[in-house]
Each structure stands twice: as C-alpha cells, then as structure tokens.
Amino acid sequence: MTSTDLAQPGLGQRIKRRIRRAMGPWGVFLQGFIEHPVMVGSIIPSSRFTIAKMLGPVKWDECKLFVEYGPGVGTFCRPVLERLPRDGTLIVIDTNPLYIDYLKATIADSRFVPVLGSAADVEEIVRAHGHQHADYVLSGLPFSTLPDGVGPAIAAATHRVLRPGGAFLVYQFSAKARDFMARHFRHIDAGFELLNVLPCKLFWGWKE
C-alpha cells in the first residue's frame, strides 16, 4: 500500500467536511439520508407548517420530558426547546452518529440531551437520565421502511414509556405508522399537512 492510498480516506473525510460546511444543516441532513436512506424519512427537513401543526396539541405547561426519535439536524429540536418549560428536558435519540455529533456541536441548552441509540430502547434511555415516564414522544422515523420487527417494537416501547394522558406524535408520508400505533393506542387523532415536501400525514396517539 502506497502513501497515496493511505491518504485517500483522510482526503475523503476532508471533502465531506467541506461540503457540510458549505451547505450547512441541509448538507448534514442530505449526507445522513444518502448513507442511511431506510432510517431517514425524507431528503428534505420538515416545513415550519408541519412543525407548528404537529406540536399544536402539546400542553407545554404539563411537559417535563419530551422525547424525539430521529431528530436529524434539529428541525424540531429548536421549536420544542422554545416551548419547553425551563425545568423540562428534551431527549433525542438517533442511531446515526453524524446527526448526534452535529446536534451536540450546534445546540447549547442544558435541557437538551442527545443520545446515540435505538428508539426501541427508549425505556432504558429515559430511566438512565433520571425519568420514569415521558410526557410526549415525537417521531418522524419511516415506519414503512424500518427493518422487520423494529416498528412494532418502537410502538410498544413508546406506549409503555408514556404517562397516562401523554401522546405519541408521528409524522409520515404513509399511513403505515398508524397500523403500528393502533395496536396500543385506542385514541388516535389524524391530520394532514400539504405544505411540506412531500405532503405528510400526522398522527397523535393518546395514552388513556
């Protein structure tokens, strides 16, 4: 192996870093989609209209712990932190270290806890950070393309970790997520946001 061969991986990483710097958050989001397409719901972050409608039903004065699955580059993180009480906590969970590292570097808020891990392990993650239950859980994970068994496991774990009266907030391009939710949540409100790329379905599963 020549010195040129050895230098290639380093060169590739430098090029990626330059591209990310030039394109900003969108570049990081795009790279994550290209590297792990089945784990990222869209090539474009959600619109402000989707964010506002999705978070609309949340009773922020009663929210101590908000959890998000698949935060990407923080499209929802900042709006959630703007609404979250001062003594609240936002835990975000992602399997992609690219996104977790980016969020750690760009969001400086003591209420913000980024975790590299699986949403299926939400109960253990919540307990590890000193909580027994979550008030709300938000997910943009693409349930229709997740590996077999992962979607049902996430839906079941989410129902268990939520407090009574809490809700599972889901935005998707297909209705597949609702099928998983319906096994655990008897009360599911549904909505639709046209002003998003692509237009998406919205679901709020309430734990009774």
Side-chain angles (χ1 to χ4, degrees):
M1 183 178 290
T2 67
S3 59
T4 301
D5 293 330
L6 290 171
Q8 289 307 308
L11 177 61
Q13 291 299 320
R14 288 197 297 273
I15 291 173
K16 284 183 179 180
R17 284 196 295 270
R18 289 175 182 174
I19 291 173
R20 289 202 299 267
R21 282 198 298 269
M23 299 181 71
W26 195 87
V28 178
F29 194 90
L30 178 61
Q31 181 181 337
F33 178 84
I34 292 172
E35 293 177 352
H36 304 283
V38 300
M39 299 302 291
V40 180
S42 171
I43 196 171
I44 302 292
S46 299
S47 72
R48 61 186 176 89
F49 304 101
T50 298
I51 294 169
K53 188 174 289 187
M54 191 82 263
L55 298 180
V58 175
K59 295 180 179 179
W60 294 102
D61 58 337
E62 300 177 3
C63 184
K64 299 300 181 184
L65 177 61
F66 194 104
V67 177
E68 181 183 4
Y69 303 153
V73 294
T75 305
F76 273 90
C77 295
R78 292 167 181 83
V80 168
L81 288 169
E82 289 171 0
R83 295 164 170 80
L84 194 67
R86 290 191 175 186
D87 60 347
T89 300
L90 168 59
I91 295 177
V92 300
I93 306 170
D94 206 302
T95 58
N96 192 334
L98 172 69
Y99 292 148
I100 294 298
D101 290 345
Y102 177 81
L103 292 172
K104 286 180 178 179
T106 56
I107 297 181
D109 190 312
S110 60
R111 300 168 299 166
F112 182 66
V113 182
V115 176
L116 180 63
S118 170
D121 298 324
V122 63
E123 294 167 283
E124 291 80 1
I125 292 170
V126 164
R127 285 196 295 267
H129 289 87
H131 301 272
Q132 293 302 312
H133 300 286
D135 297 294
Y136 297 92
V137 177
L138 170 70
S139 175
L141 296 177
F143 277 82
S144 61
T145 62
L146 292 176
D148 289 345
V150 175
I154 290 174
T158 301
H159 185 266
R160 290 192 300 266
V161 82
L162 281 168
R163 64 163 172 83
F168 188 20
L169 288 59
V170 178
Y171 56 101
Q172 300 275 282
F173 298 135
S174 75
K176 188 69 174 178
R178 195 188 192 288
D179 297 337
F180 295 127
M181 296 171 69
R183 300 173 190 174
H184 308 281
F185 297 89
R186 289 187 294 176
H187 178 187
I188 301 176
D189 293 326
F192 183 76
E193 181 51 60
L194 180 64
L195 300 176
N196 193 77
V197 181
L198 299 167
C200 63
K201 302 177 186 297
L202 314 178
F203 302 105
W204 298 266
W206 299 92
K207 183 171 181 178
E208 298 178 342

